[in-house]
Amino acid sequence: MSTHLPFSQACENNKGPILDRLRDIFTEPGTVLEIGTGTGQHAEHFAAALPHLQWQPTDHPRAAHLAVARLEQALLPNLLPMLELDVATTPWPVQTAHWVFSANTAHIMAWEEVEKMFQGIGTCLPAGGAFCLYGPFRHQGEFTSESNRVFDQSLKDNASHMGIRDIEALSELAEAAGLALRDDHLMPANNELLVFVRGG
Ligand SMILES: C[S@@+](CC[C@H](N)C(=O)[O-])C[C@H]1O[C@@H](n2cnc3c(N)ncnc32)[C@H](O)[C@@H]1O
């Protein structure tokens, strides 16, 4: 059955290392808003491993169908039905969440969409809530590996609005939305897990 479901080998490889981190971050019960769920492999894996959380998968309307069959087959009571969420369109279908998770989205979205994502998250999260953003990032304009530089070029060749984002620029967006970068975890394959926390 599962061989016919949309599948990402990268998700299969990174879901274990990401879960190891999320266990120590998403410690309190609450709803996790996932932005850009993709195939649903992360949602299924994390909801199964973290039963104290209600996992809310979402994706842009053009992609939200991709995860539906996998999520329904998972039969997990804490895995909520897929919702359509384009970060650039308000109002969002989820208005409050204690946690937010998104993987490999910031370099796919246009920068204006990344701005909207942070603005929206700023209105969703309560004080103490956290936003975990996974993916490849640049530091002060520098790539962390040659493979990330090549990946960035391939993104731009494909569509000029895409590209690996600077952590400093993301931190500025976060601060404008009332969040602060608390941690930057180095992850396998030259990826990172950024943890933004809402103050107040
Ligand atoms: C490279 S995929 C990552 C999917 C999955 N999170 C993963 O790690 O495999 C990028 C995701 O970002 C989503 N996305 C792009 N623009 C978006 C937007 N404006 N609002 C919400 N999601 C968006 C895409 O639909 C896609 O699911």
Side-chain angles (χ1 to χ4, degrees):
M1 285 275 278
S2 61
T3 53
H4 300 297
L5 298 173
F7 177 83
S8 156
Q9 187 58 51
C11 278
E12 217 51 28
N13 298 344
N14 63 34
K15 68 185 187 182
I18 296 174
L19 176 60
D20 289 344
R21 294 295 181 182
L22 295 186
R23 278 187 200 287
D24 295 333
I25 302 166
F26 295 165
T27 49
E28 301 295 322
T31 299
V32 183
L33 167 61
E34 183 183 14
I35 296 173
T37 288
T39 64
Q41 287 161 265
H42 284 156
E44 180 181 19
H45 191 66
F46 301 154
L50 303 169
H52 63 291
L53 302 174
Q54 296 284 310
W55 198 275
Q56 176 61 72
T58 74
D59 209 330
H60 192 282
R62 68 176 167 253
H65 63 282
L66 285 175
V68 169
R70 178 185 300 280
L71 301 182
E72 285 177 357
Q73 288 176 26
L75 296 176
L76 291 167
N78 63 327
L79 186 50
L80 301 171
M82 189 75 186
L83 291 177
E84 293 186 351
L85 167 58
D86 172 1
V87 294
T89 303
T90 55
W92 286 12
V94 177
Q95 257 111 49
T96 55
H98 199 80
W99 313 110
V100 180
F101 172 77
S102 194
N104 292 312
T105 48
H107 58 269
I108 300 296
M109 294 175 184
W111 182 247
E112 296 72 29
E113 293 174 308
V114 179
E115 290 177 320
K116 297 284 186 194
M117 176 165 71
F118 275 92
Q119 286 168 12
I121 291 169
T123 67
C124 279
L125 283 181
F131 169 36
C132 291
L133 180 63
Y134 172 88
F137 301 99
R138 297 190 305 180
H139 292 248
Q140 296 181 330
E142 301 292 327
F143 294 103
T144 59
S145 68
E146 175 62 11
S147 62
N148 279 357
R149 192 194 62 74
V150 170
F151 179 50
D152 179 73
Q153 191 58 54
S154 71
L155 288 168
K156 290 183 169 121
D157 290 346
N158 201 29
S160 60
H161 69 266
M162 299 197 290
I164 295 180
R165 309 302 178 190
D166 270 309
I167 286 185
E168 292 76 18
L170 294 173
S171 292
E172 281 183 24
L173 294 187
E175 280 170 29
L179 310 174
L181 180 62
R182 186 184 66 188
D183 284 312
D184 175 1
H185 299 286
L186 297 182
M187 304 295 286
N190 303 305
N191 288 296
E192 295 167 55
L193 184 73
L194 308 182
V195 184
F196 299 94
V197 175
R198 182 161 178 86

